[in-house]
Coordinates of all heavy atoms in Angstrom, one line a residue:
M1 N 5.2 -29.3 7.6 CA 5.0 -27.8 7.7 C 5.7 -27.4 9.0 O 6.0 -28.2 9.9 CB 3.5 -27.4 7.8 CG 2.7 -27.7 6.5 SD 3.4 -26.9 5.0 CE 3.3 -25.3 5.4
L2 N 5.8 -26.2 9.1 CA 6.4 -25.5 10.4 C 5.5 -25.3 11.4 O 4.3 -24.8 11.1 CB 7.1 -24.1 10.0 CG 8.2 -24.2 8.8 CD1 8.7 -22.9 8.6 CD2 9.3 -25.2 9.2
S3 N 5.8 -25.5 12.6 CA 4.9 -25.2 13.7 C 5.5 -24.0 14.4 O 6.6 -23.6 14.3 CB 4.7 -26.4 14.6 OG 5.8 -26.7 15.3
S4 N 4.7 -23.4 15.3 CA 5.2 -22.2 16.1 C 6.3 -22.6 17.0 O 7.1 -21.7 17.5 CB 4.1 -21.5 16.7 OG 3.5 -22.4 17.7
R5 N 6.4 -23.8 17.4 CA 7.4 -24.2 18.4 C 8.6 -24.9 17.8 O 9.7 -24.9 18.4 CB 6.8 -25.2 19.5 CG 5.7 -24.4 20.3 CD 5.2 -25.3 21.3 NE 4.1 -24.6 22.0 CZ 3.7 -24.8 23.2 NH1 4.3 -25.9 23.8 NH2 2.8 -24.1 23.8
G6 N 8.4 -25.6 16.7 CA 9.6 -26.3 16.1 C 9.7 -25.8 14.8 O 9.0 -26.2 13.8
G7 N 10.7 -24.9 14.6 CA 11.0 -24.4 13.2 C 11.7 -25.4 12.3 O 11.4 -26.6 12.5
P8 N 12.4 -24.9 11.4 CA 13.1 -25.8 10.5 C 14.0 -26.8 11.2 O 14.8 -26.5 12.1 CB 14.0 -24.9 9.6 CG 13.4 -23.6 9.8 CD 12.7 -23.5 11.1
R9 N 13.7 -28.1 11.0 CA 14.5 -29.2 11.6 C 14.4 -29.1 13.1 O 15.4 -29.4 13.8 CB 15.9 -29.1 11.1 CG 16.1 -29.3 9.6 CD 17.5 -29.4 9.3 NE 17.6 -29.5 7.8 CZ 18.6 -29.2 7.1 NH1 19.7 -28.6 7.6 NH2 18.6 -29.3 5.7
G10 N 13.2 -28.8 13.6 CA 13.0 -28.9 15.1 C 13.6 -27.8 15.9 O 13.5 -27.8 17.2
R11 N 14.2 -26.8 15.4 CA 14.7 -25.7 16.2 C 13.6 -24.7 16.5 O 12.7 -24.6 15.9 CB 15.8 -25.0 15.4 CG 16.9 -26.0 15.2 CD 18.2 -25.3 15.0 NE 19.3 -26.3 15.0 CZ 19.6 -27.2 14.1 NH1 18.6 -27.5 13.2 NH2 20.6 -28.1 14.2
G12 N 13.8 -24.0 17.6 CA 12.6 -23.2 18.2 C 12.5 -21.9 17.5 O 13.5 -21.3 17.0
F13 N 11.3 -21.4 17.5 CA 10.9 -20.1 17.0 C 11.3 -19.0 18.0 O 11.2 -19.2 19.2 CB 9.4 -20.0 16.8 CG 8.9 -18.7 16.5 CD1 9.0 -18.0 15.3 CD2 8.3 -18.0 17.5 CE1 8.5 -16.8 15.0 CE2 7.7 -16.7 17.3 CZ 7.9 -16.1 16.1
E14 N 12.0 -17.9 17.5 CA 12.5 -16.9 18.4 C 11.6 -15.6 18.4 O 11.0 -15.2 19.4 CB 13.9 -16.5 18.1 CG 14.6 -16.1 19.4 CD 16.1 -16.0 19.2 OE1 16.8 -17.1 19.2 OE2 16.6 -14.9 18.9
R15 N 11.5 -15.0 17.2 CA 10.7 -13.8 17.0 C 10.4 -13.6 15.6 O 10.9 -14.2 14.6 CB 11.5 -12.6 17.6 CG 12.7 -12.3 16.8 CD 13.5 -11.1 17.4 NE 14.6 -10.7 16.6 CZ 15.7 -11.3 16.4 NH1 16.0 -12.4 17.2 NH2 16.7 -10.8 15.7
I16 N 9.5 -12.5 15.4 CA 9.3 -12.0 14.0 C 9.7 -10.5 14.0 O 9.2 -9.8 14.8 CB 7.8 -12.2 13.7 CG1 7.4 -13.7 13.6 CG2 7.5 -11.5 12.3 CD1 6.0 -14.0 13.2
D17 N 10.4 -10.1 13.0 CA 10.9 -8.8 12.8 C 10.0 -8.2 11.7 O 10.0 -8.7 10.6 CB 12.3 -8.6 12.5 CG 13.2 -9.2 13.6 OD1 12.8 -9.0 14.8 OD2 14.3 -9.6 13.3
Y18 N 9.4 -7.0 12.0 CA 8.5 -6.3 11.0 C 9.1 -5.0 10.6 O 9.8 -4.4 11.3 CB 7.2 -6.0 11.8 CG 6.3 -7.2 12.2 CD1 6.3 -7.6 13.5 CD2 5.6 -7.9 11.2 CE1 5.6 -8.7 13.9 CE2 4.8 -9.0 11.6 CZ 4.8 -9.4 12.9 OH 4.1 -10.5 13.3
G19 N 8.8 -4.7 9.4 CA 9.1 -3.3 8.8 C 8.0 -2.9 8.0 O 7.3 -3.6 7.3
L20 N 7.8 -1.5 7.9 CA 6.7 -0.9 7.2 C 7.1 -0.5 5.8 O 6.4 -0.8 4.8 CB 6.2 0.3 7.9 CG 5.4 0.0 9.2 CD1 5.0 1.3 9.9 CD2 4.3 -0.9 9.0
F21 N 8.2 0.1 5.6 CA 8.6 0.5 4.2 C 10.1 0.2 4.0 O 11.0 0.8 4.7 CB 8.5 2.1 4.1 CG 7.0 2.5 4.0 CD1 6.4 3.0 5.1 CD2 6.4 2.3 2.8 CE1 5.0 3.3 5.0 CE2 5.0 2.6 2.7 CZ 4.3 3.1 3.8
P22 N 10.4 -0.8 3.1 CA 9.4 -1.6 2.4 C 8.7 -2.6 3.4 O 9.3 -3.0 4.4 CB 10.2 -2.3 1.4 CG 11.6 -2.4 2.0 CD 11.7 -1.2 2.8
P23 N 7.5 -3.1 3.1 CA 6.9 -4.0 3.9 C 7.7 -5.3 4.1 O 8.1 -5.9 3.1 CB 5.5 -4.3 3.3 CG 5.6 -3.8 1.9 CD 6.8 -2.7 1.8
S24 N 7.8 -5.7 5.3 CA 8.6 -6.9 5.5 C 8.2 -7.6 6.9 O 7.8 -6.9 7.7 CB 10.1 -6.6 5.6 OG 10.4 -5.8 6.6
A25 N 8.3 -8.9 6.9 CA 8.1 -9.6 8.1 C 9.1 -10.8 8.0 O 9.0 -11.6 7.0 CB 6.7 -10.1 8.2
E26 N 10.0 -10.9 8.9 CA 11.0 -12.0 8.9 C 10.9 -12.8 10.1 O 11.0 -12.3 11.2 CB 12.4 -11.4 8.8 CG 13.4 -12.3 8.2 CD 14.7 -11.5 7.9 OE1 15.3 -10.9 8.8 OE2 15.1 -11.6 6.7
C27 N 10.7 -14.1 9.9 CA 10.7 -15.0 11.0 C 12.1 -15.4 11.4 O 12.9 -15.9 10.6 CB 9.9 -16.3 10.7 SG 9.6 -17.4 12.0
V28 N 12.5 -15.2 12.6 CA 13.9 -15.6 13.1 C 13.7 -16.8 14.1 O 13.0 -16.8 15.0 CB 14.5 -14.4 13.9 CG1 15.9 -14.7 14.4 CG2 14.5 -13.1 13.0
W29 N 14.6 -17.8 13.7 CA 14.6 -19.1 14.5 C 15.8 -19.1 15.5 O 16.7 -18.3 15.3 CB 14.7 -20.2 13.5 CG 13.6 -20.3 12.5 CD1 13.6 -19.8 11.2 CD2 12.3 -20.7 12.8 NE1 12.4 -19.9 10.7 CE2 11.5 -20.4 11.6 CE3 11.6 -21.2 13.8 CZ2 10.1 -20.8 11.5 CZ3 10.3 -21.6 13.7 CH2 9.6 -21.3 12.5
A30 N 15.7 -19.9 16.4 CA 16.7 -20.0 17.5 C 18.1 -20.3 16.9 O 19.1 -19.9 17.5 CB 16.4 -20.9 18.5
N31 N 18.2 -21.0 15.8 CA 19.5 -21.3 15.3 C 20.0 -20.2 14.3 O 21.1 -20.4 13.7 CB 19.4 -22.7 14.4 CG 18.5 -22.6 13.2 OD1 17.9 -21.5 12.9 ND2 18.5 -23.6 12.5
G32 N 19.4 -19.1 14.2 CA 19.8 -18.0 13.4 C 19.2 -17.9 12.0 O 19.4 -16.9 11.3
N33 N 18.6 -19.0 11.6 CA 18.0 -19.0 10.3 C 16.8 -18.0 10.2 O 16.1 -17.8 11.3 CB 17.4 -20.3 9.9 CG 18.5 -21.4 9.5 OD1 19.6 -21.0 9.2 ND2 18.2 -22.6 9.7
T34 N 16.5 -17.4 9.1 CA 15.4 -16.6 8.9 C 14.5 -17.0 7.8 O 15.1 -17.6 6.8 CB 15.9 -15.1 8.6 OG1 16.7 -15.1 7.5 CG2 16.7 -14.5 9.9
T35 N 13.3 -16.7 7.8 CA 12.4 -16.9 6.8 C 11.6 -15.7 6.5 O 11.0 -15.1 7.4 CB 11.3 -18.1 7.2 OG1 12.1 -19.2 7.7 CG2 10.4 -18.4 6.2
D36 N 11.6 -15.3 5.2 CA 10.9 -14.1 4.8 C 9.4 -14.4 4.6 O 9.1 -15.4 3.9 CB 11.5 -13.6 3.5 CG 11.0 -12.1 3.1 OD1 10.3 -11.5 3.9 OD2 11.2 -11.7 2.0
L37 N 8.6 -13.7 5.3 CA 7.1 -14.0 5.3 C 6.4 -13.2 4.2 O 5.2 -13.4 4.0 CB 6.5 -13.8 6.6 CG 7.1 -14.6 7.7 CD1 6.5 -14.2 9.1 CD2 6.9 -16.1 7.4
V38 N 7.0 -12.1 3.7 CA 6.4 -11.2 2.7 C 7.0 -11.5 1.3 O 8.2 -11.3 1.2 CB 6.6 -9.8 3.0 CG1 5.9 -8.9 2.0 CG2 6.0 -9.5 4.4
P39 N 6.2 -11.9 0.3 CA 6.7 -12.2 -1.0 C 7.4 -10.9 -1.6 O 7.0 -9.7 -1.2 CB 5.6 -12.7 -1.8 CG 4.6 -13.1 -0.8 CD 4.8 -12.3 0.4
D40 N 8.3 -11.1 -2.5 CA 9.0 -10.0 -3.1 C 8.2 -9.1 -4.0 O 8.4 -7.9 -4.2 CB 10.1 -10.6 -4.1 CG 11.2 -11.2 -3.3 OD1 11.4 -10.9 -2.1 OD2 12.0 -12.0 -3.9
H41 N 7.0 -9.6 -4.5 CA 6.3 -8.8 -5.4 C 5.2 -7.9 -4.5 O 4.6 -7.0 -5.2 CB 5.4 -9.6 -6.3 CG 4.4 -10.5 -5.6 ND1 4.7 -11.8 -5.0 CD2 3.1 -10.3 -5.3 CE1 3.7 -12.3 -4.5 NE2 2.7 -11.5 -4.6
V42 N 5.2 -8.0 -3.3 CA 4.3 -7.2 -2.5 C 4.6 -5.7 -2.5 O 3.8 -4.8 -2.6 CB 4.1 -7.8 -1.0 CG1 3.4 -6.8 -0.1 CG2 3.5 -9.1 -1.1
A43 N 5.9 -5.3 -2.3 CA 6.3 -4.0 -2.2 C 6.0 -3.2 -3.5 O 5.4 -2.1 -3.4 CB 7.8 -3.9 -1.8
P44 N 6.4 -3.7 -4.7 CA 6.0 -2.9 -5.9 C 4.6 -2.8 -6.1 O 4.1 -1.7 -6.5 CB 6.7 -3.8 -7.0 CG 7.7 -4.7 -6.4 CD 7.3 -4.9 -4.9
L45 N 3.8 -3.9 -5.7 CA 2.3 -3.7 -5.9 C 1.8 -2.7 -4.9 O 0.9 -1.8 -5.3 CB 1.6 -5.1 -5.6 CG 1.7 -6.1 -6.7 CD1 1.1 -7.4 -6.2 CD2 1.0 -5.6 -7.9
L46 N 2.3 -2.6 -3.7 CA 1.8 -1.6 -2.7 C 2.1 -0.2 -3.3 O 1.2 0.6 -3.2 CB 2.5 -1.9 -1.4 CG 2.3 -0.8 -0.4 CD1 0.8 -0.8 0.1 CD2 3.2 -1.0 0.9
Y47 N 3.3 0.0 -3.7 CA 3.7 1.3 -4.2 C 2.8 1.7 -5.5 O 2.3 2.8 -5.6 CB 5.1 1.5 -4.6 CG 6.0 1.2 -3.3 CD1 7.1 0.5 -3.4 CD2 5.6 1.7 -2.1 CE1 7.9 0.2 -2.2 CE2 6.4 1.4 -1.0 CZ 7.6 0.7 -1.1 OH 8.3 0.5 0.1
A48 N 2.6 0.7 -6.4 CA 1.7 1.0 -7.6 C 0.3 1.4 -7.2 O -0.3 2.3 -7.7 CB 1.7 -0.2 -8.5
F49 N -0.3 0.7 -6.1 CA -1.6 1.0 -5.7 C -1.7 2.3 -5.0 O -2.6 3.0 -5.1 CB -2.1 -0.2 -4.7 CG -2.4 -1.4 -5.4 CD1 -2.2 -2.6 -4.8 CD2 -3.0 -1.4 -6.7 CE1 -2.5 -3.8 -5.5 CE2 -3.3 -2.6 -7.4 CZ -3.1 -3.8 -6.8
L50 N -0.6 2.7 -4.3 CA -0.6 3.9 -3.5 C -0.5 5.1 -4.6 O -1.2 6.1 -4.4 CB 0.6 4.1 -2.6 CG 0.5 3.3 -1.3 CD1 1.8 3.3 -0.5 CD2 -0.7 3.7 -0.5
I51 N 0.2 4.9 -5.6 CA 0.4 5.9 -6.7 C -1.0 6.1 -7.4 O -1.5 7.1 -7.7 CB 1.4 5.7 -7.7 CG1 2.8 5.8 -6.9 CG2 1.4 6.5 -8.9 CD1 4.0 5.3 -7.7
A52 N -1.6 4.9 -7.7 CA -3.0 5.0 -8.4 C -4.0 5.6 -7.5 O -4.9 6.3 -8.0 CB -3.4 3.5 -8.7
A53 N -4.0 5.3 -6.2 CA -5.0 5.9 -5.3 C -4.7 7.4 -5.2 O -5.7 8.2 -5.2 CB -4.8 5.4 -3.8
A54 N -3.5 7.9 -5.2 CA -3.2 9.3 -5.2 C -3.7 10.0 -6.5 O -4.3 11.1 -6.4 CB -1.7 9.6 -4.9
A55 N -3.5 9.3 -7.6 CA -3.9 9.8 -8.8 C -5.4 10.0 -8.9 O -6.0 11.0 -9.4 CB -3.4 9.0 -10.0
C56 N -6.1 9.0 -8.4 CA -7.6 9.0 -8.3 C -8.1 10.1 -7.5 O -9.0 10.9 -7.8 CB -8.2 7.7 -7.8 SG -8.0 6.4 -9.1
A57 N -7.4 10.3 -6.3 CA -7.8 11.4 -5.4 C -7.7 12.8 -6.1 O -8.4 13.6 -6.0 CB -7.1 11.3 -4.1
L58 N -6.5 13.0 -6.7 CA -6.2 14.2 -7.4 C -7.2 14.5 -8.5 O -7.7 15.6 -8.7 CB -4.8 14.2 -7.9 CG -3.7 14.4 -6.8 CD1 -2.3 14.2 -7.5 CD2 -3.8 15.7 -6.1
T59 N -7.6 13.4 -9.3 CA -8.5 13.6 -10.3 C -9.9 13.9 -9.8 O -10.6 14.8 -10.3 CB -8.5 12.3 -11.2 OG1 -7.3 12.0 -11.7 CG2 -9.5 12.4 -12.4
A60 N -10.3 13.2 -8.7 CA -11.5 13.5 -8.1 C -11.7 14.9 -7.6 O -12.6 15.6 -7.8 CB -11.9 12.5 -7.0
A61 N -10.6 15.4 -7.0 CA -10.5 16.8 -6.5 C -10.6 17.8 -7.6 O -11.3 18.8 -7.5 CB -9.2 17.0 -5.6
H62 N -9.9 17.6 -8.7 CA -9.9 18.4 -9.8 C -11.3 18.5 -10.5 O -11.8 19.6 -10.7 CB -8.9 17.9 -10.9 CG -8.9 18.7 -12.2 ND1 -8.5 20.0 -12.3 CD2 -9.4 18.3 -13.4 CE1 -8.7 20.4 -13.5 NE2 -9.2 19.4 -14.2
L63 N -11.9 17.3 -10.7 CA -13.3 17.3 -11.3 C -14.3 17.9 -10.4 O -15.2 18.7 -10.8 CB -13.7 15.9 -11.6 CG -12.8 15.2 -12.7 CD1 -13.3 13.8 -12.9 CD2 -13.0 15.9 -14.0
A64 N -14.2 17.8 -9.0 CA -15.1 18.4 -8.1 C -15.0 19.9 -8.1 O -15.9 20.7 -8.1 CB -14.9 17.9 -6.7
R65 N -13.8 20.4 -8.2 CA -13.5 21.8 -8.3 C -14.0 22.4 -9.5 O -14.6 23.5 -9.6 CB -12.0 22.1 -8.1 CG -11.7 23.5 -8.0 CD -10.2 23.8 -7.8 NE -9.9 25.2 -7.8 CZ -8.8 25.8 -8.0 NH1 -7.7 25.0 -8.0 NH2 -8.7 27.1 -7.9
R66 N -13.8 21.7 -10.6 CA -14.2 22.2 -12.0 C -15.7 22.2 -12.0 O -16.3 23.1 -12.6 CB -13.7 21.3 -13.1 CG -14.0 21.8 -14.4 CD -13.3 21.0 -15.5 NE -14.1 19.7 -15.6 CZ -13.9 18.8 -16.5 NH1 -12.9 18.8 -17.2 NH2 -14.7 17.7 -16.6
N67 N -16.4 21.3 -11.4 CA -17.9 21.3 -11.5 C -18.5 22.3 -10.5 O -19.7 22.6 -10.7 CB -18.4 19.9 -11.1 CG -18.1 18.9 -12.3 OD1 -17.9 19.3 -13.4 ND2 -18.0 17.6 -11.9
H68 N -17.9 22.8 -9.6 CA -18.4 23.8 -8.6 C -18.2 25.2 -9.1 O -18.7 26.1 -8.5 CB -17.8 23.6 -7.2 CG -18.5 22.5 -6.5 ND1 -18.0 21.2 -6.6 CD2 -19.6 22.5 -5.7 CE1 -18.8 20.4 -5.9 NE2 -19.8 21.1 -5.3
R69 N -17.6 25.4 -10.2 CA -17.4 26.8 -10.7 C -18.7 27.2 -11.3 O -19.5 26.4 -11.8 CB -16.3 26.9 -11.8 CG -14.9 26.7 -11.3 CD -14.0 26.8 -12.4 NE -12.6 26.5 -11.9 CZ -11.6 26.2 -12.7 NH1 -11.7 26.2 -14.0 NH2 -10.4 25.9 -12.2
E70 N -19.0 28.5 -11.3 CA -20.2 29.1 -11.8 C -20.1 29.0 -13.3 O -19.1 29.3 -13.9 CB -20.4 30.5 -11.4 CG -20.7 30.7 -9.9 CD -21.1 32.1 -9.6 OE1 -21.5 32.8 -10.5 OE2 -20.9 32.5 -8.4
P71 N -21.2 28.7 -14.0 CA -21.2 28.6 -15.4 C -21.2 30.0 -16.0 O -21.7 30.9 -15.3 CB -22.6 27.8 -15.8 CG -23.4 28.0 -14.6 CD -22.5 28.1 -13.4
P72 N -20.6 30.2 -17.2 CA -20.6 31.6 -17.7 C -22.1 32.1 -17.9 O -22.9 31.4 -18.3 CB -19.9 31.5 -19.0 CG -19.9 30.0 -19.4 CD -20.1 29.3 -18.0
H73 N -22.2 33.5 -17.6 CA -23.6 34.0 -17.7 C -23.8 34.3 -19.2 O -23.0 34.9 -19.8 CB -23.6 35.3 -16.9 CG -23.5 35.1 -15.5 ND1 -24.6 34.5 -14.8 CD2 -22.5 35.3 -14.6 CE1 -24.2 34.4 -13.5 NE2 -22.9 34.9 -13.3
R74 N -25.0 33.9 -19.7 CA -25.3 34.3 -21.0 C -26.2 35.6 -20.9 O -27.1 35.7 -20.2 CB -26.1 33.1 -21.6 CG -25.3 32.0 -21.9 CD -26.1 30.9 -22.5 NE -27.1 31.3 -23.5 CZ -27.8 30.5 -24.2 NH1 -27.7 29.3 -24.1 NH2 -28.7 31.0 -25.0
H75 N -25.8 36.4 -21.9 CA -26.6 37.7 -22.0 C -27.5 37.5 -23.3 O -27.0 37.6 -24.4 CB -25.7 38.9 -22.1 CG -24.8 39.1 -20.9 ND1 -25.4 39.6 -19.7 CD2 -23.6 38.8 -20.6 CE1 -24.5 39.6 -18.9 NE2 -23.3 39.2 -19.3
D76 N -28.7 37.2 -23.1 CA -29.5 37.0 -24.2 C -30.1 38.4 -24.7 O -30.6 39.1 -23.8 CB -30.8 36.1 -23.8 CG -30.3 34.7 -23.6 OD1 -29.3 34.3 -24.2 OD2 -30.9 34.0 -22.8
A77 N -30.0 38.6 -25.9 CA -30.6 39.8 -26.4 C -32.1 39.7 -26.6 O -32.5 38.6 -27.0 CB -29.8 40.2 -27.7
P78 N -32.8 40.7 -26.3 CA -34.3 40.6 -26.5 C -34.6 40.4 -28.0 O -33.9 41.0 -28.8 CB -34.8 41.9 -25.9 CG -33.6 42.8 -25.7 CD -32.4 42.0 -25.7
A79 N -35.5 39.7 -28.2 CA -35.8 39.3 -29.6 C -36.9 40.3 -30.2 O -37.6 41.0 -29.6 CB -36.4 38.0 -29.8

């Protein structure tokens, strides 16, 4: 396995480059090699979950607004 001091084939670790959108983390070694630390399927899953969360929030807001409206008044005729 890789250690923090001896990267691939004994070369030293230099830095990790991060990115937010799309999510990324890349390990950079002293010899110029890079290792991607974030799997390829993470970005599509993140975007799908963000869209689903937005849809849930909009649905909740719509249902809350609909439930707070006053019910229609019934005019009962005297019997």
Side-chain angles (χ1 to χ4, degrees):
M1 296 301 299
L2 302 176
S3 70
S4 62
R5 294 184 182 201
R9 297 186 183 155
R11 299 204 170 63
F13 168 77
E14 211 170 278
R15 69 182 185 280
I16 295 178
D17 294 332
Y18 295 100
L20 290 177
F21 288 100
S24 65
E26 198 171 60
C27 186
V28 180
W29 303 98
N31 67 354
N33 288 340
T34 58
T35 305
D36 193 10
L37 302 174
V38 179
D40 291 336
H41 65 276
V42 171
L45 284 174
L46 173 66
Y47 299 139
F49 288 143
L50 288 175
I51 291 169
C56 288
L58 289 173
T59 301
H62 172 72
L63 292 175
R65 183 176 177 198
R66 187 177 75 177
N67 288 337
H68 280 88
R69 290 183 187 163
E70 289 186 27
H73 294 288
R74 289 181 40 175
H75 298 286
D76 293 326

